[in-house]
Amino acid sequence: MNHLHKSLGLFLVSAMAISCNSKPEETTTTTEPEVKEAPAPAKTSDRPTHWGYDGEDGPASWASLDPAYSACGEGHHQSPINISNADVKEGVTWSLDYKEIPSFMIEHTEHMEQIVDNGHTIQVTVDEGSSFTFEGETYELKQFHFHTPSEHTIDGKHYPMEMHMVHQSADKSLAVISLLFETTDMANPIFTPIMDNLPNAKGDQTHITDNPINIKNAIPRENYAYHYVGSLTTPPCSENVQWLVLRDFASVSKEQLEAISSRIGKNNRPVQGLNDRAVEMDDLEAITD
């Protein structure tokens, strides 16, 4: 037994010596728990995702091109629409107050970023001062642009050209007055300053200060308008846009139409379902100077 105790004592002494003389394993200590950094978000471009009017990036694909365009596919109050005169209801009165525009900017570009993204169009940005009022809300005219052929249809019929006059209220709500065109042999003099200064290539712009235009003169007299609530007709297809599609038409010569359509091509979105919406026939009361 003494021999066993002696051997055990020698073993413990040797083990202690080895423990004291050996280099301890290195350990890492931290005063705070380790936090993994979240991966950096993918870099995004300031330029909107490209879209178009045909092929893989055409209207049928807009909703899938970018999550920001989801309303193009999921929205239930989209524009344009077919307006059936048989279903139109009586509406209300809008007060139109358009001033002479002393200067304006003409642009031809695929992506407009001033007010709305109106891909593939010629846009005219105007001076302040023109507006209309609806139910106590005033909408200021910001710009107008063109679509060939028309986006809205009347009783299923397309027209050669449609002009959208885009307005914005103080709370950033949008309203668009739409004017449909028929072709004649006579040029429309209201558009002469525009036709004389059309850009020749995408990205070009012209600033006109010496040849004013008066858009009010393009509005047919004693007119009425179809009113409904819809959306932008281009991505992101945002809804809650007030639409006034003028009942009567304006004229444009074949040469004027060709000058615009040859630059912008076919840029009309197909008509969308009316769903639960009603179309009203509203009185457009012009305020004269």
Side-chain angles (χ1 to χ4, degrees):
M1 182 66 68
N2 291 336
H3 178 70
L4 178 60
H5 288 168
K6 183 177 180 181
S7 299
L8 182 57
L10 292 172
F11 173 78
L12 292 174
V13 171
S14 299
M16 291 176 64
I18 293 172
S19 176
C20 292
N21 294 329
S22 299
K23 184 177 180 180
E25 293 184 6
E26 295 183 357
T27 59
T28 302
T29 60
T30 59
T31 58
E32 297 180 358
E34 183 180 0
V35 178
K36 293 183 178 180
E37 294 184 2
K43 184 178 181 181
T44 59
S45 172
D46 291 335
R47 186 179 179 85
T49 300
H50 178 75
W51 52 270
Y53 285 98
D54 53 26
E56 295 181 353
D57 59 359
S61 302
W62 285 352
S64 62
L65 297 177
D66 190 309
Y69 301 166
S70 61
C72 300
E74 299 174 0
H76 295 288
H77 294 165
Q78 290 289 291
S79 297
I81 60 170
N82 173 59
I83 297 170
S84 173
N85 276 303
D87 299 326
V88 172
K89 301 179 180 180
E90 184 177 352
V92 297
T93 300
W94 299 67
S95 296
L96 179 66
D97 187 11
Y98 276 7
K99 306 296 185 183
E100 184 178 75
I101 301 168
S103 66
F104 52 94
M105 182 80 73
I106 305 177
E107 297 181 89
H108 183 194
T109 177
E110 290 193 352
H111 289 279
M112 300 295 173
E113 298 177 354
Q114 290 90 341
I115 303 298
V116 292
D117 186 355
N118 270 333
H120 302 278
T121 191
I122 289 174
Q123 173 175 300
V124 180
T125 304
V126 303
D127 287 345
E128 297 180 354
S130 297
S131 66
F132 70 84
T133 303
F134 173 63
E135 292 188 340
E137 188 76 55
T138 299
Y139 297 84
E140 298 287 340
L141 177 64
K142 297 294 183 179
Q143 51 100 332
F144 58 91
H145 60 269
F146 302 90
H147 292 271
T148 57
S150 70
E151 296 200 298
H152 289 87
T153 58
I154 309 296
D155 292 328
K157 179 183 177 180
H158 280 283
Y159 290 82
M161 187 170 75
E162 181 172 350
M163 183 172 76
H164 290 167
M165 291 161 275
V166 181
H167 304 72
Q168 191 175 53
S169 66
D171 66 359
K172 307 302 182 183
S173 298
L174 293 176
V176 183
I177 294 180
S178 168
L179 179 59
L180 302 173
F181 287 83
E182 293 181 312
T183 55
T184 65
D185 293 332
M186 298 290 292
N188 191 326
I190 296 170
F191 298 108
T192 299
I194 299 171
M195 299 302 170
D196 289 345
N197 294 279
L198 286 174
N200 293 316
K202 291 180 176 66
D204 288 354
Q205 60 182 8
T206 307
H207 193 192
I208 310 301
T209 59
D210 57 355
N211 201 345
I213 56 176
N214 196 330
I215 296 301
K216 183 172 64 178
N217 293 335
I219 306 297
R221 293 181 179 276
E222 298 180 1
N223 204 351
Y224 287 83
Y226 303 102
H227 169 236
Y228 75 99
V229 180
S231 73
L232 301 179
T233 65
T234 59
C237 305
S238 306
E239 297 189 336
N240 295 317
V241 176
Q242 300 284 349
W243 276 92
L244 281 173
V245 180
L246 299 182
R247 181 192 64 183
D248 295 339
F249 314 114
S251 63
V252 61
S253 70
K254 296 176 182 178
E255 290 75 18
Q256 289 176 322
L257 175 64
E258 174 62 23
I260 294 178
S261 62
S262 64
R263 287 169 168 81
I264 63 180
K266 184 177 181 292
N267 67 338
N268 64 319
R269 185 189 189 190
V271 295
Q272 307 295 301
L274 185 60
N275 298 324
D276 61 347
R277 291 173 289 177
V279 179
E280 300 174 334
M281 177 62 74
D282 290 3
D283 185 3
L284 192 65
E285 180 183 86
I287 298 177
T288 58
D289 296 328

